[in-house]
Amino acid sequence: MNSTYVIRPAVESDVLGLERLDKHSNPHPWGRTLVADALEVRLNWVMCEAQNPGNLLAWLTASRSVDQSELELILVDSSVRRQGIAKQLVGHWLNSLNQQGVAEFLLEVRESNLAAIHLYEALGFELVGRRKHYYQTETGREAACLYILVTPVGRG
């Protein structure tokens, strides 16, 4: 990881920074209420500058149910995209939860999000299905691609 950036758990005081990141980096922003809810009920990590931990550059939120976890949202600020930040955050999610006994990881992604699809497939996720016409777009609807990664527990 770039030593100028660190991954840390998101905390309640991050809600305004996460809302700002969501507004500027998400084509379909969640808004403050959903961001705050995510901080209360999900697992959350942020990437920030080591010297300025309040400057949030990326966020990953995931749910967990016993030995399964689902990536709910990952955002990377446009100013730092294409630097491997998403890969580092996803890797952190996988390793952290795998060490806690999670063996199955799930996610869904818009079929048009080719960069994310390439990342997930490079990390070993396998396409297991599609939800046709799931996401609304400016020109209609598009499918959600459903991915799974099954790992041995404690691989990390």
Side-chain angles (χ1 to χ4, degrees), residues 45 64 90-102 105:
W45 293 274
R64 179 181 178 183
V90 171
H92 187 83
W93 165 57
L94 296 173
N95 291 329
S96 295
L97 291 184
N98 187 257
Q99 293 299 319
Q100 297 174 31
V102 173
F105 297 88

Side-chain angles (χ1 to χ4, degrees), residues 1-154:
M1 179 180 351
N2 183 328
S3 62
T4 60
Y5 303 143
V6 295
I7 295 174
R8 64 168 175 80
V11 294
E12 187 178 332
S13 61
D14 289 325
V15 72
L16 292 178
L18 291 173
E19 180 187 21
R20 191 170 31 256
L21 180 64
D22 177 50
K23 182 178 178 183
H24 292 109
S25 302
N26 189 350
H28 306 278
W30 282 17
R32 183 177 299 178
T33 301
L34 290 178
V35 169
D37 287 349
L39 286 174
E40 287 183 31
V41 300
R42 293 193 182 101
L43 303 166
N44 296 273
W45 293 274
V46 294
M47 184 174 280
C48 57
E49 295 176 331
Q51 300 301 317
N52 184 3
N55 185 17
L56 306 181
L57 303 171
W59 173 39
L60 184 148
T61 185
S63 60
R64 179 181 178 183
S65 177
V66 188
D67 66 346
Q68 185 180 75
S69 182
E70 183 172 357
L71 189 151
E72 303 288 342
L73 181 68
I74 184 168
L75 296 173
V76 178
D77 187 273
S78 60
S79 69
V80 292
R81 287 191 185 143
R82 305 265 184 228
Q83 295 183 26
I85 288 174
K87 182 178 182 179
Q88 291 172 45
L89 266 178
V90 171
H92 187 83
W93 165 57
L94 296 173
N95 291 329
S96 295
L97 291 184
N98 187 257
Q99 293 299 319
Q100 297 174 31
V102 173
E104 190 173 273
F105 297 88
L106 309 168
L107 60 87
E108 69 180 43
V109 60
R110 291 173 180 268
E111 67 182 346
S112 64
N113 192 344
L114 298 179
I117 288 170
H118 289 119
L119 169 65
Y120 300 139
E121 289 178 351
L123 291 171
F125 281 86
E126 295 181 22
L127 180 66
V128 293
R130 290 188 185 300
R131 290 186 178 133
K132 294 180 181 177
H133 313 293
Y134 187 73
Y135 288 112
Q136 188 164 347
T137 68
E138 286 113 29
T139 59
R141 301 192 76 78
E142 71 177 309
C145 299
L146 309 174
Y147 281 85
I148 188 169
L149 175 66
V150 179
T151 64
V153 174

